[in-house]
Amino acid sequence: MIHILIEYFKFISKSSNQHGVHSPFIYNLITKCFYKKIDANLWSRFKEIKQQLLDNKSFIKVTDFGAGSKIFKTNKRQVSKIAKVAGITNKKSKLLIRLIKYFKPIYVLEIGTSLGLGTTAIKIGNKNAIITSLEGCVETSKIAQELLKNNNLKNITINTGDFKKTLTKSIEKQSFDCIYFDGNHTKKDTLNYFNTCLPTIKNDSFWIFDDIYWNNEMKEAWTEIKNHPKVKVTVDVFYWGIVFFRKEQEKEHFKIRV
């Protein structure tokens, strides 16, 4: 927690808003997406679905393939508590819905389904999205699939199993408009996912990396991603790093308060 606070204060001292941003692409992103109020109907729908998880008092045994939890001490966890303290936050959910509504990606890959809240936000942001989501834990995947089915959220495929096996198969002969990376907070695996998914990019693809300040490994991974020659523009909003591959853009990096 102290590490995150220190990083946040550093971020605040270096970040800005739309003022001083000379890129029309990023200026529009900030003013028409980041700082635009979320559609009340969309947010109400998301909260309604999230409440179903908050009301779920059952316990599941979670298989964690990633960097582990900073919150839970055992793998036996209550669904309601996962949704409350470990699932995507309301702040992230609002921005994810706005981002998806703004860019309207059709083909979306999500690496890390968890209980399905991020998946739900993506679908609410664009009802036409065709989503492939990867989840390592069988029990968590079951909860997510039940949630999506009960709320009639369609054109969503959850591939369950170790990402080392499911990722390659899921992206075979595919291209994606958006990829949301929320599956593993280690440098090695984050960079592996990044490099594995590079063949799927289009010029207008955008990628979202969760928790880029989670630990020093994630900070290092984010730096390497920013420096990759195919990456043209990045936007650091602290809890996410957003990547664009637009060949017509000059290489630039932004830190934006959202």
Side-chain angles (χ1 to χ4, degrees), residues 122-135:
I122 293 167
K123 194 65 180 178
I124 286 175
N126 183 13
K127 64 181 180 180
N128 296 318
I130 299 168
I131 304 170
T132 301
S133 189
L134 311 184
E135 175 54 41

Side-chain angles (χ1 to χ4, degrees), residues 7-62:
E7 292 296 339
Y8 182 69
F9 286 124
K10 288 180 183 177
F11 169 82
I12 288 296
S13 69
K14 296 177 180 179
S15 61
S16 63
N17 51 26
Q18 74 271 29
H19 301 296
V21 172
H22 301 296
S23 164
F25 174 72
I26 296 300
Y27 182 85
N28 287 334
L29 175 63
I30 296 169
T31 57
K32 297 180 180 180
C33 176
F34 287 178
Y35 294 165
K36 187 174 182 179
K37 193 172 182 180
I38 191 169
D39 183 296
N41 291 327
L42 298 184
W43 183 238
S44 177
R45 176 67 171 142
F46 178 83
K47 287 195 299 180
E48 174 191 318
I49 295 174
K50 182 175 182 178
Q51 190 61 48
Q52 295 167 28
L53 291 175
L54 295 173
D55 292 338
N56 188 338
K57 305 303 179 184
S58 62
F59 283 83
I60 60 174
K61 186 176 181 181
V62 174

Side-chain angles (χ1 to χ4, degrees), residues 152-186:
N152 201 31
L153 300 178
K154 298 179 178 179
N155 290 323
I156 301 171
T157 302
I158 299 179
N159 294 331
T160 308
D162 192 333
F163 296 162
K164 292 182 179 68
K165 298 177 182 178
T166 59
L167 178 57
T168 303
K169 186 176 180 180
S170 298
I171 68 171
E172 190 175 12
K173 297 179 181 179
Q174 283 277 8
S175 58
F176 292 98
D177 304 300
C178 171
I179 302 182
Y180 180 36
F181 295 81
D182 185 23
N184 193 317
H185 295 113
T186 66

